[in-house]
Amino acid sequence: MSKQIPLHDVTPPPPKGEGVDLYASREKIYTRAFTGVFRNLRRVGGALLFALYFGVVWLNWGGHQAVWWNLPERKFYIFGATFWPQDFILLSGILIVSAFGLFFITVFAGRVWCGYTCPQSVWTWIFMWCEKVTEGDRNQRIKLDKAPMSASKFARKLAKHSLWLLIGFVTGMTFVGYFSPIRELATQFFTGHADGWAYFWVGFFTLATYGNAGWLREQVCIYMCPYARFQSVMFDKDTLIVSYDPRRGEKRGPRKKDADYKAMGLGDCIDCTMCVQVCPTGIDIRDGLQIECIGCAACIDACDSVMDKMDYPRGLISYTTEHNLNGQQTHPLRPRLIAYAVVLLVMIGVLATAFMTRSLVGFDVSKDRVLYRENAEGRIENVYSLKIMNKDQRAHTYLIEASGLPDLRLQGRNQVQVAAGDIVSLPAELSVAPEHLPSSTNEVRFSLRDVDDGDVHVQANSRFIGPQVR
Ligand code: SF4
Ligand code: SF4
């Protein structure tokens, strides 16, 4: 007979009248403005991203918007190329190569994507700038939030939220403009003639931008972004990280500029907390590498300016590696990174080849449901539906030919012109004298040849059905 071990719950009871609260409410982060090399780099990255995002949507190419997801017609224009649903394997390839490129950069340089070019970070920096312009720098904002509501406080808050909403609106309108041509969209939107869905989606993306960059900010990076979750497994001891050098900085403590701090037993950190005050995720990098760190290097800029003021060498917080921090040699070229680079290059090569050899004409043949019929001449006829897609940026005239059976005749149009990026569907009839039919089911082949250059030559197989052959 089994005996049970008696268990006793020894968890201390919560204080009277209180439960155990598993939710930690967010503490608002007031970031301090700063200057420095990495801030300038980030500005360049942000400016490039802004120019791309807001500029490309206004470019035209080949008589239409250069980058345009034309969902109703299921076409995607990207400058000179038109992609159809059949080409989405190529677009998936671009996404896979981009993701792999991001993995490669992460192994090499940690979270540089997050800190410099991720739209969440870039838009958050812009929103922070709006905050500074309307409510002042860190201390003024803290004071303003603590102060009771007044006309001045209301005016500042109103100005901040209006600016946020304006940027959110321009962002949302631009995003929708990639799906619905921006020029018409903008005109129709402001004259009240746009589709109801256009108003809905512009409103949705306006609020999404306002919410993400204005309110959620670092919480998107810490709790919502999947990339932040799995990138730590890609880090190794040679990956670039932003780190504080405790061997140099400790023991931290305040001192006068010209004090003999070594004699006082202090390190180079004057415990000014500037690195914490500029951090957009509100962490103290001196506590070590943390998942919240997006690698933006704001703390490096802040600490370097403190070091300059104290006449200490820069680099107490710096881009470094774990190996470097432990006094060991960093290996920029390591097997893992080389393997990633090789795979990435192979993938780019395969993708480039697939692009270059991509056929610029799509050709589908489907047979009519009526199996066959006999025409006035006594010939057996089959009817087909042909679909020709011209994926090129110019019109083409195609010659349609059929083969596969002796005495095979193609009736109806055998030449068709298809405009750039257009699809033409047309019927085609094939006929064969019954004595030339080897079996009741025969394979036939339709061919499409470009009349002008003779280059494009695609084929599609189908069946020719006839009566039972005795
Ligand atoms: S900014 Fe530099 S000196 Fe100031 S607390 Fe941070 S690490 Fe120490
Ligand atoms: S710790 Fe430094 S690098 Fe990391 S998020 Fe904060 S400011 Fe940016």
Side-chain angles (χ1 to χ4, degrees), residues 3-197:
K3 249 185 146 184
Q4 283 189 337
I5 300 171
L7 296 176
H8 301 285
D9 185 356
V10 293
T11 315
K16 222 174 174 185
E18 284 179 33
V20 179
D21 194 358
L22 298 176
Y23 175 73
S25 58
R26 179 199 180 213
E27 275 188 35
K28 187 171 175 182
I29 297 169
Y30 295 90
T31 46
R32 180 183 283 277
F34 62 97
T35 55
V37 178
F38 295 107
R39 187 202 65 158
N40 295 343
L41 262 181
R42 200 175 35 254
R43 282 188 164 183
V44 171
L48 275 176
L49 187 77
F50 260 53
L52 269 177
Y53 179 72
F54 291 112
V56 164
V57 77
W58 291 96
L59 298 180
N60 272 354
W61 190 290
H64 51 73
Q65 192 166 298
V67 179
W68 175 22
W69 287 89
N70 185 346
L71 292 182
E73 292 181 22
R74 295 189 188 82
K75 285 187 237 175
F76 175 39
Y77 298 105
I78 177 158
F79 294 96
T82 307
F83 294 91
W84 300 76
Q86 295 87 331
D87 297 319
F88 268 52
I89 185 84
L90 288 175
L91 292 178
S92 314
I94 295 177
L95 290 180
I96 292 169
V97 168
S98 309
F100 217 82
L102 194 56
F103 297 161
F104 172 76
I105 290 171
T106 306
V107 173
F108 177 62
R111 294 184 73 170
V112 284
W113 161 261
C114 302
Y116 291 83
T117 40
C118 172
Q120 173 65 24
S121 300
V122 173
W123 263 255
T124 299
W125 292 113
I126 297 290
F127 274 47
M128 283 178 179
W129 174 80
C130 297
E131 217 164 45
K132 184 173 168 257
V133 168
T134 52
E135 296 183 347
D137 201 3
R138 184 172 186 272
N139 293 342
Q140 289 166 301
R141 292 204 305 276
I142 295 174
K143 220 166 130 192
L144 186 73
D145 278 358
K146 282 189 183 149
M149 186 52 80
S150 63
S152 152
K153 179 172 176 173
F154 181 77
R156 283 171 181 275
K157 294 274 172 200
L158 182 68
K160 177 180 83 173
H161 288 285
S162 305
L163 261 182
W164 282 2
L165 279 169
L166 180 67
I167 296 172
F169 172 72
V170 179
T171 306
M173 178 74 113
T174 304
F175 190 77
V176 176
Y178 282 101
F179 295 85
S180 172
I182 189 86
R183 285 178 170 78
E184 293 100 89
L185 175 70
T187 315
Q188 290 166 358
F189 194 92
F190 291 113
T191 52
H193 293 103
D195 188 80
W197 283 109

Side-chain angles (χ1 to χ4, degrees), residues 242 275 278-285 292-300:
V242 174
C275 50
V278 297
C279 178
T281 62
I283 57 168
D284 188 341
I285 193 67
E292 291 88 350
C293 175
I294 57 167
C296 68
C299 51
I300 300 182

Side-chain angles (χ1 to χ4, degrees), residues 244 268-275 286 302-303 306-307 316-317:
Y244 165 75
D268 281 359
C269 175
I270 65 168
D271 207 12
C272 61
T273 70
M274 281 297 170
C275 50
R286 294 173 300 169
C303 190
V306 173
M307 294 294 108
L316 178 55
I317 302 176

